[in-house]
Amino acid sequence: MFFRNLTFFRFPTSLGKTLDDLDARLEECRLKPVGPSELMSRGFIPPMGRDAQLMSHRIGDAIWVTLGGEDRLLPSAVVNDQLGRKLAEIEEKEGRRLGGRARKRLKEDVVMELLPRAFVRPVRCSATLDLGHGFIAVDTSSRKTAENLVSELRHALGSFPALPLNAETSVRALMTGWLAGEPLPGGLSLGDECELKDPVDGGGVVRCSRHELQAEEIRRHLEAGKQATRLALVLDDHVGFVLGEDLVIRKLKFLDGAVDQLEGTETDGVHAELDARYALMAGELKRLFAVLDGALKFSAADA
């Protein structure tokens, strides 16, 4: 259940005092099956599995929530094929071609006709709230997907003042400096991946993967004026990740230094293992956020 990406939002730490009835609020917004005439359905589901009783999972000041969904798969090629058949029938029967508005209405009718027969795909997206540091991290690199989860949480709670992150320090300048040899924050070290861009519009882009980032080749690109827009980093030999200038964490991976801690934890059953994994992840993300916050000076963005 380890997250693979992180899109952060901040909220006031005082919010934790208002979440005592979180499970009841989420229960009111539980996922319902998608209707025969609906394209999608969204709602919260128990993060520990469908047989779990609680709609969230909490360890200390960390809370795990999961937004579930059902999407009807209706490819545009299928819709257009059926629409073409109906248009041809009308043209042959009535001897006329439909205008734009009539075609649009007919297409809507075709969609409504096909929806009940469309396959349903389940989707889910999880997030962890850290009440101590006042952040929510959504397991996605898509800002739209992350904002959708936060919006659903806001709807469930009535109010959830979480806003996207901003950094008071230029992320691009800071990462470029780290690549150039400037000291990294305590606990951080360079990974083996980066993306370098020429700051001029339309300028060149260099992407390096599984590469020694202190190599002469990288130094020459920096001397030519390229700047780091993505940079692989490692925290305490526990967590590897790629930091983007958009403040999104990608390719999050928990390394042996962290995962080895699970081997000494006795777990009996799936729920116990999930509990142990979430406890480990929540602790590592707390440390990761604190280190990045210290370097980048996070602040909540304007709405």
Side-chain angles (χ1 to χ4, degrees):
M1 55 73 53
F2 289 141
F3 289 10
R4 297 181 179 181
N5 303 280
L6 302 172
T7 297
F8 288 105
F9 297 77
R10 292 206 86 163
F11 56 80
T13 54
S14 58
L15 182 69
K17 302 175 182 178
T18 69
L19 296 180
D20 293 339
D21 60 346
L22 175 62
D23 286 289
R25 297 289 188 92
L26 296 182
E27 181 65 44
E28 294 176 357
C29 297
R30 181 187 279 266
L31 174 66
K32 298 178 181 179
V34 61
S37 60
E38 295 178 322
L39 280 170
M40 66 176 65
S41 176
R42 292 290 184 271
F44 290 94
I45 58 177
M48 295 288 281
R50 63 182 60 185
D51 59 336
Q53 298 295 318
L54 298 178
M55 296 295 290
S56 67
H57 185 66
R58 181 165 182 166
I59 296 179
D61 59 4
I63 304 176
W64 176 15
V65 298
T66 300
L67 182 68
E70 292 186 353
D71 293 345
R72 288 196 176 274
L73 301 181
L74 192 56
S76 58
V78 175
V79 175
N80 292 335
D81 179 69
Q82 186 69 5
L83 176 62
R85 293 172 184 269
K86 288 186 175 294
L87 289 172
E89 290 175 3
I90 292 174
E91 185 173 351
E92 181 179 352
K93 182 178 180 179
E94 302 181 8
R96 65 184 181 90
R97 295 177 62 87
L98 294 183
R101 291 184 180 180
R103 291 171 63 94
K104 182 179 179 180
R105 287 195 297 268
L106 182 60
K107 184 174 183 178
E108 292 172 352
D109 292 340
V110 168
V111 170
M112 296 303 293
E113 177 185 330
L114 293 175
L115 271 179
R117 291 178 280 163
F119 288 107
V120 175
R121 178 184 63 185
V123 295
R124 60 182 291 158
C125 181
S126 288
T128 181
L129 291 81
D130 188 301
L131 305 183
H133 287 76
F135 72 80
I136 175 172
V138 186
D139 182 16
T140 180
S141 60
S142 164
R143 177 57 61 85
K144 181 179 179 180
T145 300
E147 289 177 343
N148 285 342
L149 185 145
V150 171
S151 178
E152 292 290 342
L153 196 54
R154 187 175 295 118
H155 171 70
L157 297 175
S159 174
F160 184 56
L163 297 173
L165 290 182
N166 265 339
E168 296 180 6
T169 302
S170 168
V171 186
R172 182 181 289 202
L174 194 64
M175 293 192 301
T176 302
W178 291 344
L179 265 183
E182 295 180 5
L184 281 82
L188 283 183
S189 58
L190 293 177
D192 62 358
E193 180 178 340
C194 71
E195 178 183 86
L196 306 175
K197 287 185 179 181
D198 193 312
V200 178
D201 288 342
V205 180
V206 175
R207 296 183 177 90
C208 301
S209 181
R210 297 187 296 276
H211 198 288
E212 171 55 56
L213 297 188
Q214 294 179 319
E216 177 67 18
E217 177 185 354
I218 300 294
R219 186 183 65 81
R220 288 199 298 268
H221 283 301
L222 296 178
E223 290 178 349
K226 289 186 175 62
Q227 301 173 344
T229 52
R230 291 190 184 183
L231 180 63
L233 298 164
V234 177
L235 176 64
D236 295 330
D237 293 325
H238 281 198
V239 182
F241 60 97
V242 175
L243 174 65
E245 63 174 337
D246 55 1
L247 297 178
V248 173
I249 300 293
R250 297 172 174 86
K251 299 185 179 181
L252 183 69
K253 184 177 182 180
F254 293 85
L255 308 177
D256 291 343
V259 178
D260 286 348
Q261 300 177 36
L262 292 174
E263 295 182 358
T265 303
E266 294 185 4
T267 58
D268 184 15
V270 175
H271 283 195
E273 182 176 351
L274 285 175
D275 182 77
R277 284 178 173 269
Y278 179 63
L280 170 64
M281 185 182 75
E284 296 293 346
L285 295 190
K286 183 188 297 290
R287 165 72 172 153
L288 173 60
F289 186 86
V291 169
L292 294 180
D293 190 11
L296 297 168
K297 311 300 180 186
F298 291 149
S299 61
D302 294 334

